[in-house]
Amino acid sequence: MKKMIALAVSGALLLSGCGGGSSASDAAEKYGSSTLKLYNWGEYMGANLISDFEKEYGVKVIVEYFDSNEMMYTKLQAGDAYDVLVPSDYMIERLIKENMLQKLDLTKIPNISNLAEGVKHLPYDPDNSYSVPYFWGNVGIVYNHNNVKAADVEKLGYNILQDTTYKGRIYVYDSERDSFMMALKALGYSMNTENESEVQEAYNWLLQMNDTMDPAYVTDEVIDGMINGNKDIAVVYSGDAATILNENEDMSFFLPTEGTNLWSDSMVIPANAENPLLAHEFINYVLTHDASFDNSETVGYPSSNQEVLDEMSGSGGIYAENEAYLPRTDYAKDEVFKDNPVLKQKLAELWIKVKASH
């Protein structure tokens, strides 16, 4: 889930391939078309991912970027056709329920055997009938260990955002889903609760944080803000946290013991895709070592390829000493977001009220 988008680009970018092992005519004969339409998050691909795929398969890739799952969903509902999408867990659950995705032919995606253990059997699509993981991670707390006591963070978890010792020194995601997640977890509740009193408690928790802590509500600017040491505490997605820790040695990362979000973005093929054969080829290609390495090295998010994940986090790897890169798995209190449009709308309305009181 690429939460931090420095530049959300709307519209199409046409990338032309040249050279390589196959020609456009070969591709058209094999796949029925030599053009692939990809809809992805902004700044969420390796530097060479598209150009290398084009050269190897003799195709052209048209890339469009979205900055929210809801934006992507609206385009699909309007009838826009893409061959591959990269939505998040809860949105994939919704798309499956609404028959908006094609079932995958896993015989055409043999590299699915490369999947990391942590992204196998995800609850929204346990058999990969419709989706193949692309990136994944957690949400946690980045903090300046020179100015914030590690013992405080470890003891309080998300409740550190209520500790007035750190008033005026915190960043909070401008996102109702993520903010209510941390509030619910801080209170000991499920982030997928439908209990009205628990949601109300979380709302009151956020109001109190807003009233007493003078938080800065941010999106992508949290990365540079923490790299530059502008604040001492931030709630951050693990991929962005890995970047921050690589750039500022004063920063540390902690996953609250009360649990957090385990998220994933996965590749899917819409029901109205015009080139499903080439879509399968692209999904299979992304799972190769070189493509997955390029993706993770460029973006900083954990790879869904087990070999790449081990290589990057192991001895001598780019993220060998980076505590934010490797996701936490098999932790009972961590959860995956479920699709619940009614709850999401309710949280959105309450979040507006929280920020209006700032």
Side-chain angles (χ1 to χ4, degrees), residues 210-230:
N210 187 76
D211 293 344
T212 62
M213 296 297 292
D214 190 24
Y217 295 114
V218 293
T219 52
D220 58 303
E221 58 266 38
V222 72
I223 302 174
D224 286 340
M226 292 303 285
I227 289 173
N228 294 330
N230 296 343

Side-chain angles (χ1 to χ4, degrees), residues 210 351-358:
N210 187 76
W351 183 238
I352 290 171
K353 292 181 179 180
V354 170
K355 292 201 300 175
S357 68
H358 189 50

Side-chain angles (χ1 to χ4, degrees), residues 328-342:
R328 180 169 71 184
T329 58
D330 299 323
Y331 188 73
K333 293 183 180 180
D334 291 341
E335 296 180 82
V336 174
F337 276 124
K338 296 179 181 178
D339 175 51
N340 189 331
V342 174

Side-chain angles (χ1 to χ4, degrees), residues 304-318:
S304 62
N305 178 304
Q306 185 68 59
E307 183 181 0
V308 172
L309 195 70
D310 293 342
E311 187 176 343
M312 289 203 159
S313 61
S315 179
I318 296 171

